[in-house]
Amino acid sequence: MSSTHFPFSAVVGQDDLRLALLLNAVSPAVGGVLVRGEKGTAKSTAVRALSALLPQVDVVPGCRFSCAPAAPDPSCPDGPHESGPGALRPARMVELPVGASEDRLVGALDIERALAEGVKAFEPGLLADAHRGILYVDEVNLLHDHLVDVLLDAAAMGASYVEREGVSVRHAARFLLVGTMNPEEGELRPQLLDRFGLTVEVAASREPAQRVEVVRRRLAYEDDPAGFATRWAGDEHEVRARVVAARALLPKVSLGDTALLQIAATCAGFEVDGMRADIVMARTATALAAWAGRTDVRKEDVRQAALLALPHRRRRNPFDAPGLDEDMLDRILDEFPDEDPEPEPEPEGPDDSGPEDDGPGGGPDGGPGGTPPQGDGSQDPDTPAESPETPETGEAPAEAPEAPQPAAQEAAGPEQAAVRAAEPFRTKMLSVPGLGEGASGRRSRARTAHGRTTGAQRPRGHLTKLHLAATIQAAAPHQKARGRDGRGLVIRKDDLRQATREGREGNLVLFVVDASGSMAARQRMSAVKGAVMSLLLDAYQRRDKVGLITFRGATAELALPPTSSVDAAAARLEQLPTGGRTPLAAGLLKAHEVLRIERLRDPSRRPLLVVVTDGRATSAGNVGGRTDSSPRELAGHSARLLQAGGVASVVVDCESGPVRLGLAGVLAQDLGGPSVTLDGLRADSLAGLVKNVRTAVASTASPHSSSNSNRRAA
């Protein structure tokens, strides 16, 4: 297939996306772009087309690290460089694959030569290739944590450091970071999210005419990429010339006091953390003015800069959708004049009278601070929350002890409207026992590429983490036979030892939530949803995949297949209705089926089953084949089936009221895991919780050692 990229100017629509990319082309100091959107919205196409619009880069001939001839990097591994003319080359766009290794990203040292010859034989990585260009990460939200950490360090310091057992290499790594992601597949870590200067939400157009034009241009490009690019060459040249002109004008743009006050008031009014947002907004507003061919920053520039720089910095937790209240933004900006006042506009206000009058009077602290509860749409969520509860007997908590009449309540089985989740809280740590080898995360112990060193072994494939002591120990007995006559060791490939490390992995946390009539008391279900929401928040922070199964009436439903998008699980949970009988066995069997399929798809990711129920079983549901057994017996059989499969489980006991049947505890015994109450789930609770959930494999392999370890954990 041809390497000709789709022309940037031929992209249909997506005005915000194109503007954000062009602003970074004008001023790379803006800090990059994060593009969020659904599949098939030209995210990658637009990013790849941007590199053709960037001016050429002047580099030292032969330098693998793209040093500038006028100011070469003094610590460049290929240096020192002699003065001389440079060579022009196109700006690079380097793509970082999601599954790339750390060595591929930062580069790799030849450890054998470094130890034996004492030379820094270094192979540059993608960060070196991207220096003074674009580093593009498609599906950046799926990037492994250790690669995210490396990107954060490089973006913050403008340099990449490679440290291996006392041998270190440093080189410059300043690049335009562009990432694309589909929010349905999970969110970014807050630290990396804040590193992106701008963010843009993209979606496919709903206008038929525009969609037709998208299809027409795409088909024309695929039929003849070179010819299509030629037809758009004139438009591309105009955009490229405008970028060059804006870059030349950028140093002459004046950012006045009024614009700075508008920026500061906007960031303060929206309660943005830190000062990075203020700096990014200032750089973006300046780039907007240069792009428009002006040397002064105006209110419309500040407004557009806020819409691009603040939405992703407004998130307070992973379940908040990024966005900005434009009415509130306009109110803040309207407190300031469009232009800077004259130095002495009035006798009583020398020099700073304009800004001082506007500052206290404009109320960037007072006005917007009191506005969000009224004008930020906060009344709308409260109104529906109260209206359905008022006619439905606010005294519902009095019905919490359902034990005397569960059958009567469930038999009627009317579906009740979904209730809001209670406020999330910090939960206690739940982890899978043993030592896994799954994806990098923060929950259970596992053998990982990063973490504390626990031993050494012969490398399988390319050596990544040298165990120096073990390598020397392996080589020492052979020095005489190898004819060593100098100070250095004679190292051979067979002597090299790979360090084995222990860290944390992410798990598959599968929630099985009871939505039957016995859970239908409004305040009780609100508390249950709050607990599950808290566990979802914990799963997000620990980089887990999550899935959601609900059961009520006669069926169990996979409400959310296992995914990395905790936001999607939270949305499904909020919409969960209640009512009907309790097919506990059906819910457990559905979990068994889901985990069996996931084990085939991703065998290294260990599951953690979280069953949220009061333990009642009043319906056989859609189990079938066991008509001679009671619902409770079927539930016990299904639980023991999960235990026999080695599934680590925990039961969150939702039973409340003065009369308690203890059925959740019985279910926990059948599953081979602990039971914890809603109150005991809190991290600050006095109730104890076994940190490592027992599995059937551990208990059957060594019953005595298992019981002893449980006593020690308690």
Side-chain angles (χ1 to χ4, degrees), residues 81 92 111 135 142 184 223 235 239 285 394 407-408 482 504 657 688:
H81 298 298
R92 292 174 181 156
I111 302 295
L135 181 62
L142 303 182
E184 295 177 356
D223 289 342
D235 298 81
V239 177
R482 293 174 183 175
R504 294 280 173 176

Side-chain angles (χ1 to χ4, degrees), residues 338-501:
D338 290 339
E339 299 178 356
D340 286 329
E342 297 296 330
E344 295 184 4
E346 295 179 0
E348 68 261 6
D351 296 331
D352 297 330
S353 61
E356 286 184 3
D357 290 342
D358 289 337
D365 297 325
T371 300
Q374 303 171 15
D376 198 22
S378 58
Q379 289 183 348
D380 294 337
D382 291 341
T383 304
E386 294 175 4
S387 55
E389 290 184 7
T390 305
E392 291 188 19
T393 64
E395 296 78 21
E399 301 176 8
E402 305 91 347
Q405 48 197 17
Q409 184 182 17
E410 295 187 29
E415 180 176 308
Q416 300 190 21
V419 299
R420 288 177 175 272
E423 192 69 21
F425 52 84
R426 191 166 63 91
T427 66
K428 289 190 174 180
M429 173 69 169
L430 300 174
S431 63
V432 179
L435 198 62
E437 295 182 348
S440 176
R442 299 182 177 181
R443 183 173 297 278
S444 305
R445 294 174 54 227
R447 295 185 184 90
T448 59
H450 299 268
R452 63 185 182 90
T453 301
T454 58
Q457 63 181 12
R458 291 182 181 273
R460 291 177 289 184
H462 182 65
L463 177 70
T464 56
K465 297 292 182 181
L466 178 75
H467 195 295
L468 183 59
T471 299
I472 294 175
Q473 186 177 5
H478 308 291
Q479 295 304 298
K480 186 175 182 179
R482 293 174 183 175
R484 174 190 171 192
D485 55 4
R487 299 178 60 184
L489 287 174
V490 179
I491 302 291
R492 294 182 178 174
K493 190 171 183 179
D494 290 343
D495 301 327
L496 299 178
R497 294 294 182 269
Q498 174 86 22
T500 57
R501 298 173 182 260

